[in-house]
Amino acid sequence: MHEDVTERTRTVSWEDPAPGVAVMPTMSGLEYLRAMLREELPPPPITELMRMTLVSADPGTATFVCDPDESHYNPIGTVHGGLVCTLLDSALGCAVQTTLPQGQGYTSIEIKVNYLRPVHAHSGRLTCVATVTKPGNRVAFADGVVTDASGKTVATATGSLLVFPIGG
């Protein structure tokens, strides 16, 4: 029987993503991400849900941070690998987005994640840096690395992303 009666709660709120989605086709990928960094456009709702934040975007690279807590735990008491995979997928996608001209979008085709050590709430802030290894007009490729607060690598990934026209 579970004896700990401490209630743990978390409330998630987010901004309407529609304004950002509406202007995305009118901006290059890098311009769009930098507008989000300047808080001129709302971040995507998933960032609030997963407690992750885009902190930098430069040509061919994007960096996210994530603050895992117990709400991300799986049944064995570690942060679920899906959180780390989502962090990597987001960073890989945004790294590719920094290379895209106006009117181009992307979606993940494939991601391969290598989990190197477990993550706990006490692992502290995770930092995920993704770098484009091959930009493309149809398919782009990127790599990512996640480190914990002590600088230890907890996961790596490689991914391929489909590039396609968006908007009007």
Side-chain angles (χ1 to χ4, degrees), residues 78-96:
T78 62
V79 169
H80 193 284
L83 173 76
V84 176
C85 183
T86 300
L87 181 63
L88 282 156
D89 187 54
S90 299
L92 296 178
C94 287
V96 167

Side-chain angles (χ1 to χ4, degrees), residues 8-63:
R8 291 170 169 88
T9 63
R10 190 166 147 229
T11 302
V12 178
S13 58
W14 61 92
E15 294 179 56
D16 180 0
V21 172
V23 300
M24 185 181 181
T26 69
M27 307 170 85
S28 74
L30 185 58
E31 290 169 337
Y32 183 76
L33 293 174
R34 286 185 171 167
M36 280 198 310
L37 287 167
R38 292 188 304 269
E39 299 182 357
E40 295 167 2
L41 294 173
I46 194 165
T47 60
E48 292 298 325
L49 180 64
M50 300 299 227
R51 299 191 67 203
M52 61 187 193
T53 305
L54 175 68
V55 294
S56 71
D58 291 301
T61 187
T63 301

